[in-house]
Amino acid sequence: MPPAAIECIRVTKRMSSGARVLTILAELDLSVERGDSVAIVGPSGSGKSTLLGLLAGLDRPTDGEVRLLGESLGELDEDELALLRRHHVGFVFQDFQLLANITAIENVLLPLELSGADGADERATELLQRVGLAERLHHYPSQLSGGEQQRVALARAFATRPPVLLADEPTGNLDGVTGGAALDLMYELREQAGSTLVLVTHDPQVAERARRRVRLVDGRIVSDERDA
Amino acid sequence: MKLAIALRWMRRESRGARGRMLYFTACLAVGVAAIVGVAALSQAIENGFRESSREILGADVSVDARRLLPPQLDEIAARHSGVERTDVLETASMVSALGPDGRARRNVLAQVHALTGRYPLYGDLVTEPAGGVAHLAADTALVPADLLRDLELEPGDEILIAGTPFRVAAAILRGPPQFGFSSMLGPRLFVSGEGLKRAPLLFVGSRVRHRALFALGDGATPGDVKALAADFASIEDAAYLDVDTHIDAGPGGRQSRRRLQSFLGRVALLSAIVGGIGVAQIVRAWLAGRTQSIAVLRCLGVRPREILLISLGHTTLLAFAGSSIGAVLGCGLPLLVDALVPNLVPGGLSVTFPAVAVARGMVIGVGIAVCFSLPPLLAIWRVSPARVLRADAAPLPAPRWIAVATALAIGGGVLGAAIVQSDKIAWALWFTAGFAVLVALLALGARALIAAAGLVPRRRLERHLAHGVAALARPGAGTIGAVVALGLGTMVVATMWLVETRLREGLLAQVPPGAPSVFLLDVQPEQRDGVRAALENAAALYVDEVPLVMGRIESIDGRPVDELVAEERAADSHTADSRTVDPSGAKRGPGDRRRRSLRSLTREQRMTTLETLGPSNRVVAGELWSDPDHLELSVEQGFARRLGLELGTRVGFDVGGKPIELRVTSLREVEWQSFSFNFFLVAEPGAFDGASTLYLASGRLPAADEAALQDSVVADFPNVSVLRLGKVIEQVSEMIGRTAAGVGALGTFTVLAALLVLAGAASATALRRRREIALLKTLGVTRAGVVALLATEFGLAGALGGLIGGAGALSLAWAFLTFVAEQSVDLPWSLLPIATLLCGLAAALSGLLASLRALRVRPIEALR
């Protein structure tokens, strides 16, 4: 049986704030099966985004272990973590995080070029067509609306068909209608790519779309629900 | 990462970076233009000299000496085919116009060259009326047109040369060029060989240089020229000959030109390095604005080293562009100089493509850009990818080896550039160490002043000033780098100015208070009383008179000079292989010292007899006139060392055909700068009794009376030359001024580079500035108000740079003048406020120009 997509074993994250040391996550255990979709919910400051950063290897836990696709992240250096993300992880952010000095299609091309995929141009064009931006390929992010930027970000996230997709408040900066459309698109692309989805949100409606919902309060899991 | 992808990413990086690219390339272009320009101009000058070297020397081979030339010259010339010879006797004399009263008026010290044979052998002597030396007869002279104008004469008029009338046959409009000290002796006029005999200029002990010019014709190869010169140089018993060829002679002071070129090259290097500081500033500010993008890239799986390579590749491309622009500008410098100063080199500059200089400039430009970019690029490692989720994510530590390597990169870059520019590793190491200390001191000064600015109670300051002071200390303002760069630039220019003006003043100050101001040369024994009376009539304050006896060394400790010369020559041939060759092409080594001693052994010696020594002489060994049994000789210690003379050595002389043996009983140290008559060889009184003797006289009198004394001496004693010290100092001072002007002009490149650094820093922070300006406008500050705020901010940074640079220049100039020029220094402290003010103004202007776009932006665009 293949290992779980994501495993957190007694993960603790502390940070110093001035003279104080804050515990953001406390001995947290979590396992996400391959192909599953999990929403991490909780109030502001509960540690959702910190957890997402740890899952992606963007940050390191103070204690405990994080495994991604069976690989223990603590044993990898920054370069190895970068390569792991390059080949296995896609990201969607609340504020899109598109590179401002390159066009929509170049943003989508970025992970394809990094992974050395063949037919990168065709794949990027196809993805942008699928997200409804066929006419906007060569526009810069500043020339696109918020919804359009998030669609470019989704196309970029799924460009390499990553086994794991991590999303941080993907509809947080969008109005209800646009956010709903973006969410639909994200689930549709996820289905096609077969990616495991871990999504951080404070919006119950967004969380409802996931098969599983983990609730964090003060850095601890207080509930873990799964659709029947 | 594949190369094609990396290149594509580099291309994308350059988008939206017009401002950054402009200043980045400009910073480098200025430095590279200075480096290539100096080298290209040097090359064009050297080419010009080389192409007209025959015209400058006036021959293929020149042989000269202060005594009659040996007859073997003709025999040797006859052995080589097609050799033509012309003889020139070179001396100096007073020349005058004839006044209506029949006496000399308007006297000028001039060079008189007497020609026998065709002249010039190469080049032109253009006269009006045309005809050149064909006009010369026993009673005619060719006189420079400028001199004729000064004397208010015209062709056909009479001119007095050493009191002898000559008819001006033609005015010289252009003749073979002259360089170095001889060109400062005064205008040059030509007479015939017979003509010179008419004037009372040839007598025992007169100052005549005998020169024979040889031409081999247009078909001669360099080998033929060198063979003829080698044959002349190998004449037995003629070590006193100076043999030059147009190929090797270094016409026009090649050595001093090379030294100047090398110095200018090093000043140019400084502007390139200041440009490097600008590059570092711009890269740092650029990365600060790219932090979020770097975080995204790292989040997407791009490794720091890949981001570094892309950034470095982008930097290298920009550096290549900037250096290319600089190289093109530098290549154009000789054309510009040729247009502005057409007579810099006789025959004009010969401009060719300076391939080596361009390659050197490109290597230095790109190398400095890459090395100076590395430390700021280290920030790539420190950007945490977690910033994509949290803006306050703590920076990551950079690997230690990368931190060390990038920190060393700047030192390596400066060292590498210095090696490439100078070809001298030891010098490059000193330069790098000196530069590091200098920058560290400037940075410390800048940091201290900025910290002090932070402590100023801003509430009490005027609004604009308060903003400017606050902006100085703001993190990420790039102030320190800009201040250091401007400080460096200011220091270069101000130091050059200080050293030049103080050296000029020092020249005058060097003349001791009681030193003579007028020297009277070639006074005959029967003229002594008359000359002394003339000096006394002119109320000269101090009158000195010394005898001058000419003689040749015949033997040392009983060994004939011929034997010693043969021994020296044999030793010379053994050491010929051990000579070292320095990059300037000059050969130095034991062989050269021997040639100097050979010349000293065989030349005509000027000697004097004195009862007591003057204040500029100090006995360092033995005792003056202490041996009643022998005729005694006192020798200057350096001269003694050269000839191997010691206390007790017997030196035999031939004085006017009479053998005299003297014994060395004292060695002296001589202060040559004392402006009094000094000699290598001083004999005890009576040693040369009966020998033909001339006298040298000197006196000190007010400058206003010098001309009258000169006129009266020339009228009564036409053969006596009058040398006015003030005139000579004027000439030297003018030469220092011309050199310093060149260095100063190059120094302004450093200031320009520094202003670009400041403008670049302003431009690189344009995004932040746009927001600030928008906020200020939103809060109701008018555009004029914003301009005033920014001008104060930039002006204060510039003023700091000027203050620090001015202080640095005062320190450097003081150190140079005190320890190198050994001159007492009175430094002008007013330099500090002037440098502060000027740099402040220049910085305010350049900063505002760089912020024009940000100033034009509408608040809503920046705040949206």
Side-chain angles (χ1 to χ4, degrees), chain B residues 499-530:
Chain B
V499 168
E500 180 226 334
T501 50
R502 291 312 180 266
L503 275 184
R504 281 201 203 206
E505 287 169 14
L507 255 183
L508 296 170
Q510 232 178 38
V511 182
S517 59
V518 178
F519 296 88
L520 305 162
L521 314 177
D522 302 337
V523 180
Q524 304 281 5
E526 63 277 13
Q527 296 171 328
R528 286 174 67 192
D529 293 340

Side-chain angles (χ1 to χ4, degrees), chain B residues 116 222 284 363 366 578:
Chain B
T116 307
R284 194 172 67 90
V363 166
V366 175
S578 68

Side-chain angles (χ1 to χ4, degrees), chain B residues 152-221:
Chain B
E152 295 175 359
L153 295 176
E154 287 179 357
D157 290 345
E158 276 204 332
I159 188 169
L160 296 178
I161 300 175
T164 308
F166 284 77
R167 187 174 57 80
V168 179
I172 302 169
L173 303 180
R174 196 177 73 238
Q178 277 197 304
F179 293 94
F181 187 70
S182 62
S183 63
M184 289 198 284
L185 276 180
R188 173 184 51 179
L189 40 83
F190 294 102
V191 296
S192 65
E194 294 77 35
L196 188 66
K197 286 177 193 155
R198 286 178 54 233
L201 288 170
L202 296 178
F203 43 82
V204 177
S206 65
R207 290 164 297 109
V208 176
R209 182 166 283 278
H210 300 259
R211 186 184 298 279
L213 301 173
F214 296 90
L216 284 94
D218 286 337
T221 64

Side-chain angles (χ1 to χ4, degrees), chain B residues 734-809:
Chain B
E734 210 172 280
M735 212 170 70
I736 294 178
R738 276 202 299 271
T739 310
V743 180
L746 200 62
T748 53
F749 270 70
T750 326
V751 175
L752 185 63
L755 286 176
L756 281 169
V757 170
L758 194 114
S763 165
T765 51
L767 190 69
R768 195 197 64 208
R769 260 175 221 293
R770 267 164 57 103
R771 287 182 187 281
E772 277 176 13
I773 292 170
L775 261 175
L776 289 169
K777 284 181 178 172
T778 310
L779 294 173
V781 182
T782 61
R783 184 181 285 195
V786 175
V787 166
L789 286 174
L790 289 184
T792 315
E793 179 187 337
F794 295 128
L796 275 177
L800 266 190
L803 182 66
I804 290 176

Side-chain angles (χ1 to χ4, degrees), chain A residues 79 85-86 106 113, chain B residues 8-9 15 298 305-306:
Chain A
D79 278 357
R85 286 194 294 272
R86 179 185 296 187
E106 286 168 342
E113 289 172 341
Chain B
R8 202 180 304 163
W9 284 29
R15 285 187 206 149
R298 291 195 64 175
R305 79 173 89 127
E306 290 168 329

Side-chain angles (χ1 to χ4, degrees), chain A residues 15 49 53 58-59 78-79 82-83 85-86 91 93 97 99 101-102 106 110 113-114 140 156 168, chain B residues 5 8-9 12 15 290 292-293 296-306 385-386 388-390:
Chain A
M15 286 184 195
S49 293
L58 300 177
D59 207 352
E78 287 298 323
D79 278 357
L83 290 176
R85 286 194 294 272
R86 179 185 296 187
F91 287 93
F93 303 101
Q97 299 287 9
L99 296 181
N101 61 328
I102 57 179
E106 286 168 342
L110 208 68
E113 289 172 341
L114 270 175
Y140 286 93
R156 181 179 71 183
D168 182 33
Chain B
I5 293 173
R8 202 180 304 163
W9 284 29
R12 290 175 193 162
R15 285 187 206 149
R290 297 268 298 147
Q292 199 59 21
S293 298
V296 173
L297 287 172
R298 291 195 64 175
C299 178
L300 294 177
V302 187
R303 286 171 290 182
R305 79 173 89 127
E306 290 168 329
V388 291
L389 298 170
R390 284 194 335 268

